[in-house]
Amino acid sequence: MQIAISGGKGGTGKSTVATNLAVALRKIGVKLTLADLDVEAPNDHILLGVELANEKPVNQFMPRFDYSKCTKCRKCAEVCEEHAIVTLRDGTPFLMPTLCSGCRACEIVCPVPGAIQEAFRTIGHTYVTPTPYGFTLVTGKLKEGEERSMPLVVAAKRRAEEVREGLLMVDTAAGTGNTVSKAIESSKLLIAVTEPTPLGIHDTELILELGRLMGIPTWVVVNRADLGEKEKVYELARKYGAEVVAEIPYSENIVRSYVEGKPIVLTDYPEAEIFTGLAKRVAEFLGGGE
Amino acid sequence: MQIAIASGKGGVGKSTITASLLYLLKDDYSFVAVDADAEAPNLGLLLGVTEWDEEREHIGAKVARINTESCVKCGICYERCPYGCIYIDDEEGNYVVNELTCEGCNVCGLVCPVAGTITLEEVRSGVIRKATTKYGFPLISAQLDVGRPESGKLVTEEKEWASKLMKELNLEHMIVDSAAGIGCQVIASLGGADVAILIAEPTPASLSDVQRAYKVVQHFREPAYLIINKADINPGFRGLEEWAEKEGIPILGRIPYDRAVPKSMSMLKPVVEAFPDSKASKAIVEIAEVIKKEILG
Ligand code: SF4
Ligand code: SF4
Ligand code: SF4
Ligand code: SF4
């Protein structure tokens, strides 16, 4: 079983909810693995207060031209949808590595055996980090300067699936582009974390739309529920047949625990209850589904 | 001059601060604003834009489609798609492309043994809009459609439109509010900028993300400045200031946490307009003065 935490807009508290929910679920006995697929800005390890461990490079294919064999036919450049191959006037191909997404289309069309050799470059890393909370965190981290996050999302998700124990909980990037849908894919439940500000509401509609298009039942968590018009979130949720399952007030305690890298659900602060309650609902949902 | 504003992490106040800075600079400078956060564009909302002068569809994305009539169900495309975007439809056993994750690389089309079965089709990836804000300056804003790739190209096209506008209207500057993260949208925003302004808050997560954004800035060899938002929420944390000092990144100013900011956001106004006497507004006014002196000259 897999569930996803997403949010549309950045900074709505997606990672706070993901990490606290993971800790809370484990506390009530649910076995799980958490995957941080926000590969451009992964933060779950910071919120959990752990150092990333077990680094593995994500090596991606890129073409290396053997100019002694290449006939300068330009086919590779024509087929490259990323425009990562440029050709000189005489047809000699050159690669712009950061644009290459490693799809191998160039290799497939090259008519001359051996003209395109297999080379690799590291576009980022994946990590498998044990946490003191009884679950493992898998993280994908894109290298700075790399343009395409999709291959890294795919690699990190694959590694998470290899090591997973029990439930796979996925924390996605901000936005609603195709890397977010890749992260969410195969989830049985999508939890959209939102805030009731006009900006938050605007972006919530996008993530609810994505959930609808993917046919995944969606829950809404309203973060900083007292800072805006939460009725509008409820209205929107109704429109998309999504249920609002929790409200989290703006709280200095949450800010403090966030800043200290200590999940709030393990403290005596009253806010801990909200996450425990949410965890119970998720556990019920999971139980009901099996 | 082209200024790009980035943060790495979302939700640290980038768009709110940008909206306020635009408001404060509008009387002394002429510029076009670009909202390059195509997956969650918010600047238009914050600047009270309700009507767009012009809207252009961006037909840039490509997705593969499989013609089930001629497909022989060999499964080669399914095995070769580098991103696992082809699935087998449970009911009919047909091979289908998941259009919400497809990157449009055409590998499936190249390996399919039955000619014409897989076609790569151009689809709309989003829209780019132009508005004249009530403050007088124009805004270009893009919106990526849900589940589409290639948001970097959308940003590049936005900036091209903005450059044209600069020439037509004889504007001095372009101010680009980039997306969260460090991927293609951010690279397209920072590429070609003369100066980068980074925004971060004093938390370990924000520090980690702004450091990553700074590496992209360094890649383009652009001078960078830092604004510290919610500067007082974490008094014990010195990491952000220490990092800026070590890298030699000048700090343009520090904005205190202030409830006036979320309040102004729900009023859909820059905080400096809605609550000019608030602590946050005073700090932003000071920052705008520094920007005028140090960056815009
Ligand atoms: S692997 Fe794909 S993206 Fe890279 S150069 Fe070849 S065709 Fe282009
Ligand atoms: S397709 Fe092969 S032979 Fe043709 S230009 Fe590219 S590398 Fe050279
Ligand atoms: S175009 Fe590329 S990403 Fe899309 S289904 Fe075909 S192989 Fe997969
Ligand atoms: S490769 Fe072509 S024929 Fe084979 S399953 Fe895919 S679409 Fe059908």
Side-chain angles (χ1 to χ4, degrees), chain A residues 2-6 168-172 183-184 187 189-192:
Chain A
Q2 180 191 313
I3 65 171
I5 320 287
S6 197
L168 181 61
M169 233 177 102
V170 162
D171 183 13
T172 80
I184 293 175
S187 297
L189 175 67
L190 168 64
I191 300 179

Side-chain angles (χ1 to χ4, degrees), chain B residues 97-119:
Chain B
V97 174
N98 183 347
E99 287 194 14
L100 295 172
T101 56
C102 174
E103 285 267 278
C105 67
N106 201 27
V107 163
C108 53
L110 295 169
V111 296
C112 174
V114 189
T117 297
I118 299 187
T119 46

Side-chain angles (χ1 to χ4, degrees), chain A residues 113-148:
Chain A
I116 289 186
Q117 303 267 326
E118 208 174 37
F120 290 93
R121 75 175 202 287
T122 304
I123 57 160
H125 296 86
T126 58
Y127 302 83
V128 173
T129 313
T131 70
Y133 309 110
F135 62 85
T136 303
L137 170 71
V138 179
T139 307
K141 198 169 172 190
L142 186 71
K143 228 170 144 176
E144 296 88 357
E146 288 293 337
E147 305 232 357
R148 312 295 305 178

Side-chain angles (χ1 to χ4, degrees), chain B residues 29-101:
Chain B
Y29 302 91
S30 65
F31 53 79
V32 50
V34 178
D35 187 350
D37 187 356
E39 290 183 44
N42 291 145
L43 211 48
L45 277 173
L46 282 172
L47 294 169
V49 171
T50 49
E51 263 177 61
W52 299 91
D53 307 340
E54 198 184 333
E55 184 170 308
R56 294 181 191 171
E57 291 206 328
H58 179 76
I59 319 282
K62 289 183 183 172
V63 295
R65 294 218 170 106
I66 294 175
N67 177 359
T68 40
E69 301 288 307
S70 58
C71 167
V72 296
K73 301 190 181 171
C74 66
I76 295 176
C77 56
Y78 173 82
E79 276 160 34
R80 294 291 292 272
C81 171
Y83 313 110
C85 305
I86 293 174
Y87 62 99
I88 304 163
D89 182 21
D90 290 340
E91 280 151 38
E92 306 271 344
N94 288 323
Y95 287 86
V96 188
V97 174
N98 183 347
E99 287 194 14
L100 295 172
T101 56

Side-chain angles (χ1 to χ4, degrees), chain A residues 142-210:
Chain A
L142 186 71
K143 228 170 144 176
E144 296 88 357
E146 288 293 337
E147 305 232 357
R148 312 295 305 178
S149 33
M150 181 61 99
L152 211 84
V153 171
V154 172
K157 200 166 177 184
R158 195 169 296 146
R159 195 160 181 208
E161 265 150 18
E162 277 163 25
V163 304
R164 76 186 277 178
E165 282 180 285
L167 174 72
L168 181 61
M169 233 177 102
V170 162
D171 183 13
T172 80
T176 46
N178 70 343
T179 54
V180 174
S181 29
K182 190 77 218 174
I184 293 175
E185 190 176 45
S186 316
S187 297
K188 292 285 178 281
L189 175 67
L190 168 64
I191 300 179
V193 182
T194 176
E195 28 172 66
T197 58
L199 310 189
I201 290 162
H202 176 251
D203 296 338
T204 306
E205 176 140 28
L206 299 176
I207 190 75
L208 290 176
E209 175 67 14
L210 186 63

Side-chain angles (χ1 to χ4, degrees), chain A residues 15 32 36 64 67 78 90 101 125 132 135 141-142 181 183 190 202 208 217 225-226 286:
Chain A
S15 297
L32 69 102
D36 189 352
R64 207 186 65 228
Y67 293 114
E78 280 158 20
D90 69 349
S101 66
H125 296 86
F135 62 85
K141 198 169 172 190
L142 186 71
S181 29
L190 168 64
H202 176 251
L208 290 176
D226 40 353
L286 297 173

